[in-house]
Amino acid sequence: MDENIYDVIIIGGGPAGITAGIYACREKLKTLLVAKGFGGQVARKAVAIENYPGFEEISGVELIQRFKNQLKSVGAEIKQDEIRKIEKIEKGFNLLTVGGEKFQTRAIIISSGADPRHSEAEGEKEFIGKGVSYCTLCDAPMFQDKIVAVLGGGNAGFEAALALTNYAKKIYILEYADKVNADEDNQEMVYNSGKIEVIVSSVLKNIQGERFVNSIVYQDRKSMEMRTLNVQGVFIEIGSQPVISFVNSWVEFNERDEIKIDPKTCETKTPGIFAAGDVTDVMLKQIIVAAGEGAKAAISARNYLRFMKK
Amino acid sequence: MDENIYDVIIIGGGPAGITAGIYACREKLKTLLVAKGFGGQVARKAVAIENYPGFEEISGVELIQRFKNQLKSVGAEIKQDEIRKIEKIEKGFNLLTVGGEKFQTRAIIISSGADPRHSEAEGEKEFIGKGVSYCTLCDAPMFQDKIVAVLGGGNAGFEAALALTNYAKKIYILEYADKVNADEDNQEMVYNSGKIEVIVSSVLKNIQGERFVNSIVYQDRKSMEMRTLNVQGVFIEIGSQPVISFVNSWVEFNERDEIKIDPKTCETKTPGIFAAGDVTDVMLKQIIVAAGEGAKAAISARNYLRFMKK
């Protein structure tokens, strides 16, 4: 066996990729993980994670450090770089990196994650983890009896607002267009909630505060008037962007640019290419789910490689 | 809303059930978890767990204690009992317990797990975690350069033996029947491995040792002769039995008695009944996978309940 050919290359260093790496190494696959950085959205979370089983409360940085140490302890090779292109070759694939390297592998696991879409509002990045959140499932419990705004009048925004009704005392939904495009179901529940106010034709201009968010400023697109709302939280729900620039046509995508997988096995349409976590059409974008999907992808890759070796 | 009606009742206290409970409570669903005990197969593991991301090494007992504390911290109700029967009623389901209680709920998550099938061999239970294992993915790395036996000549046994070739220096597969029934693929790989010896027509009689396993005794069913093999490990791969006695016809099963689910959403054929973890046909029976599936089931149940409340 050629020393320079990997059994599997994992693209991405979030929970899905790291877990895939742990499982692949324990199955004695020659494994390389290529990532620009570790942790993806987890490492950027400034507030504690409370929904990863095993830790009542842990920072994203610490959880990812633990994942990473475990990956190293099982002997994975790690390369800090970005994949630029996948090429199909007779015995597998070549991966070309932004850094100018070329790696050969028999199988690939794509776990490059997704980035939340950001608004144009001033202060959004400054207050991430200090009132600005991209995950109601993670952060809603912190807003007990607070007033919050949700940016985005699609299903994601409406569902975030509904989840927030369990905690917040008042929720504004801000939508740029002149009407919302959430499903009727969601609209009805929002209008019946008694806690949610929908503001259409609005542009979020500014998120402001001292240490934490205390208000937002939006512009009414009809009157052009600027208005201030006192809120302690802002949930940005205008979609996310899977990291897929290097993937090309080796896989199929759904309408949200997520990689379509067989939900049972994490297989894509190309034999030898698997995908796991937030870059895929998995129903729930959560650390525990991404990790579970990474384990599945690694074992599917192992099964594929066993079959190929015959 | 009637105080005594739960939004969701989770059946089973393993990683799938506990994670479902954590997610359901954080979504403010009125949640009850009914289980005979906590941890399922995890809590019975006597060796360290090394493939749950977040912990390089942790005992099953400790991991489950952490899961359980987290479940309590989010306010789940817990009842130590066993479900005897599910009844459909107009607004959901009644659950009848072995202890004689009746609980009403709008949705159910079945996460009752599976038990490994045991052999009739003497000493099997005594040496669990001391050489006897039911999980090669978990325990193979402990048998570096050791001699091990695998009980079972089906695909599970052959795949366990193949995984063990990465660590053990010699592997016996013992099969009761006069020929093995693993797939041709697996048979070819086993015969080509150079490390695996298949012994058909054999009955495992005894697993013995001092503190740890040091040998097994089997009977050749043709000659009736008793033979001893020096081994340090015994992997029991004769199948597992999903815990489904109470489920009846509310769900569909595959040929291994596993509950068929929509792999994307954990839905069963009955609206309002979800299933997650080792009791289902999920491809990989692993803690991290079960936990991820539990999270999916809880959010699917939440989505179902939102829809029903309209």
Side-chain angles (χ1 to χ4, degrees):
Chain A
M1 191 165 80
D2 188 327
E3 280 286 305
N4 295 314
I5 303 177
Y6 291 94
D7 290 320
V8 62
I9 292 182
I10 297 162
I11 303 173
I18 296 177
T19 305
I22 292 168
Y23 270 78
C25 285
R26 286 175 60 90
E27 291 297 299
K28 294 278 185 181
L29 301 182
K30 187 172 161 60
T31 303
L32 174 68
L33 186 146
V34 182
K36 200 165 47 164
F38 273 91
Q41 294 186 52
V42 180
R44 290 194 294 275
K45 271 182 69 73
V47 296
I49 293 161
E50 297 179 342
N51 59 6
Y52 186 80
F55 301 95
E56 276 186 43
E57 196 180 307
I58 187 168
S59 74
V61 171
E62 190 190 338
L63 185 61
I64 282 299
Q65 192 58 50
R66 294 181 72 114
F67 271 55
K68 192 175 165 182
N69 290 344
Q70 198 166 350
L71 178 65
K72 286 182 174 166
S73 79
V74 293
E77 285 182 59
I78 294 166
K79 183 89 198 169
Q80 192 178 356
D81 202 341
E82 263 180 282
I83 299 302
R84 184 169 61 78
K85 197 176 174 192
I86 298 173
E87 287 175 350
K88 182 87 191 77
I89 56 174
E90 198 198 341
K91 287 179 173 177
F93 306 91
N94 278 334
L95 294 188
L96 311 181
T97 76
V98 172
E101 293 200 77
K102 179 156 98 173
F103 300 108
Q104 192 178 331
T105 184
R106 293 179 222 279
I108 295 172
I109 295 173
I110 302 172
S111 49
S112 42
D115 292 320
R117 276 189 230 271
H118 296 286
S119 75
E120 309 271 293
E122 261 183 65
E124 177 181 328
K125 279 174 192 165
E126 182 189 342
F127 286 105
I128 289 175
K130 296 166 186 165
V132 171
S133 169
Y134 304 87
C135 179
T136 37
L137 272 178
C138 317
D139 298 334
M142 297 195 315
F143 294 90
Q144 185 75 48
D145 299 320
K146 302 258 161 76
I147 304 173
V148 300
V150 173
L151 185 66
N155 281 323
F158 271 58
E159 286 166 15
L162 287 166
L164 283 160
T165 58
N166 293 316
Y167 297 98
K169 65 180 175 189
K170 167 87 188 177
I171 301 135
Y172 298 100
I173 295 176
L174 272 65
E175 166 59 39
Y176 180 87
D178 295 342
K179 59 192 208 73
V180 299
N181 61 1
D183 292 344
E184 286 299 327
D185 284 1
N186 280 328
Q187 289 194 42
E188 196 179 321
M189 286 187 279
V190 159
Y191 297 130
N192 291 338
S193 75
K195 280 186 165 184
I196 303 173
E197 184 178 336
V198 178
I199 304 170
V200 294
S201 315
S202 61
V203 188
L204 182 63
K205 288 289 187 186
N206 216 323
I207 299 173
Q208 50 203 20
E210 305 280 327
R211 235 186 104 203
F212 294 93
V213 170
N214 61 27
S215 61
I216 57 174
V217 177
Y218 73 91
Q219 183 168 39
D220 181 313
R221 289 174 51 242
K222 298 279 170 71
S223 67
M224 300 306 278
E225 207 180 305
M226 297 294 233
R227 290 180 190 153
T228 299
L229 296 173
N230 291 322
V231 303
Q232 289 84 53
V234 185
F235 286 80
I236 310 290
E237 293 289 352
I238 51 177
S240 66
Q241 179 54 54
V243 179
I244 52 165
S245 56
F246 58 89
V247 181
N248 286 336
S249 57
W250 298 114
V251 304
E252 283 183 292
F253 299 98
N254 70 7
E255 70 288 356
R256 287 188 297 278
D257 290 342
E258 297 165 343
I259 297 174
K260 284 190 191 178
I261 55 169
D262 176 331
K264 212 156 174 172
T265 60
C266 296
E267 290 165 318
T268 69
K269 77 163 184 185
T270 301
I273 302 185
F274 305 84
D278 288 8
V279 77
T280 74
D281 60 356
V282 68
M283 77 165 268
L284 194 57
K285 271 58 176 179
Q286 288 283 295
I287 302 171
I288 189 64
V289 173
E293 297 289 305
K296 285 186 199 170
I299 299 304
S300 289
R302 179 204 71 179
N303 293 345
Y304 166 81
L305 291 167
R306 272 192 193 159
F307 181 77
M308 296 303 286
K309 268 190 197 154
K310 275 198 319 173
Chain B
M1 191 165 80
D2 187 329
E3 280 286 304
N4 296 313
I5 302 177
Y6 290 94
D7 290 320
V8 59
I9 293 182
I10 297 163
I11 304 172
I18 296 176
T19 305
I22 293 168
Y23 270 78
C25 286
R26 286 174 60 88
E27 290 296 300
K28 295 278 185 180
L29 301 182
K30 187 170 159 61
T31 303
L32 173 69
L33 186 145
V34 181
K36 200 166 47 166
F38 273 90
Q41 292 187 54
V42 179
R44 290 194 295 276
K45 274 182 67 74
V47 296
I49 292 161
E50 297 178 343
N51 58 6
Y52 185 79
F55 301 96
E56 278 187 41
E57 196 179 307
I58 188 168
S59 74
V61 171
E62 191 190 337
L63 185 61
I64 283 298
Q65 191 59 49
R66 295 182 72 115
F67 271 53
K68 192 176 165 180
N69 290 344
Q70 199 166 349
L71 178 65
K72 286 182 175 168
S73 78
V74 293
E77 285 182 60
I78 294 167
K79 184 88 197 169
Q80 193 178 354
D81 202 339
E82 262 179 282
I83 300 301
R84 183 168 63 78
K85 198 177 173 190
I86 298 173
E87 286 175 351
K88 183 86 190 76
I89 55 174
E90 199 198 339
K91 287 180 173 176
F93 306 91
N94 278 332
L95 295 187
L96 312 180
T97 76
V98 171
E101 293 200 76
K102 179 156 98 173
F103 300 108
Q104 190 178 333
T105 185
R106 293 180 221 279
I108 296 173
I109 296 174
I110 302 172
S111 49
S112 42
D115 292 319
R117 274 188 231 271
H118 296 284
S119 74
E120 309 271 291
E122 261 183 65
E124 178 182 325
K125 279 173 193 169
E126 183 189 341
F127 286 105
I128 289 174
K130 297 166 185 165
V132 170
S133 170
Y134 303 87
C135 178
T136 38
L137 273 177
C138 317
D139 298 334
M142 297 196 314
F143 293 91
Q144 185 76 48
D145 300 320
K146 301 258 162 78
I147 305 173
V148 300
V150 173
L151 185 65
N155 282 323
F158 271 57
E159 285 164 17
L162 288 166
L164 284 160
T165 58
N166 292 315
Y167 297 98
K169 65 180 177 191
K170 167 87 188 177
I171 301 134
Y172 299 100
I173 295 177
L174 272 65
E175 167 58 41
Y176 180 88
D178 296 343
K179 61 193 206 72
V180 299
N181 61 1
D183 292 344
E184 286 299 326
D185 286 1
N186 280 328
Q187 289 195 41
E188 198 181 318
M189 287 187 277
V190 158
Y191 297 129
N192 291 338
S193 75
K195 278 185 166 187
I196 303 172
E197 185 178 334
V198 179
I199 303 171
V200 293
S201 315
S202 61
V203 188
L204 182 63
K205 288 291 189 182
N206 216 323
I207 299 174
Q208 51 202 19
E210 305 280 328
R211 237 187 101 203
F212 294 93
V213 169
N214 62 28
S215 61
I216 56 174
V217 177
Y218 72 92
Q219 182 168 40
D220 181 313
R221 288 173 53 243
K222 298 282 171 67
S223 67
M224 302 305 279
E225 208 180 304
M226 299 295 240
R227 288 178 190 153
T228 300
L229 296 172
N230 292 322
V231 302
Q232 288 85 53
V234 185
F235 286 80
I236 311 290
E237 293 288 354
I238 51 177
S240 66
Q241 180 54 54
V243 178
I244 52 165
S245 56
F246 58 88
V247 182
N248 286 337
S249 57
W250 298 112
V251 305
E252 283 183 292
F253 300 98
N254 71 6
E255 70 288 355
R256 288 189 296 279
D257 289 341
E258 296 165 343
I259 296 174
K260 284 191 191 176
I261 54 169
D262 177 329
K264 213 155 174 174
T265 59
C266 296
E267 290 165 319
T268 69
K269 77 163 182 186
T270 300
I273 302 186
F274 305 84
D278 289 10
V279 76
T280 74
D281 59 356
V282 67
M283 77 165 271
L284 194 57
K285 270 61 177 178
Q286 290 282 295
I287 301 170
I288 188 65
V289 174
E293 298 289 303
K296 286 186 201 171
I299 300 304
S300 289
R302 180 205 68 179
N303 294 344
Y304 166 81
L305 290 167
R306 272 195 194 159
F307 182 78
M308 295 304 287
K309 266 189 202 158
K310 277 198 313 171

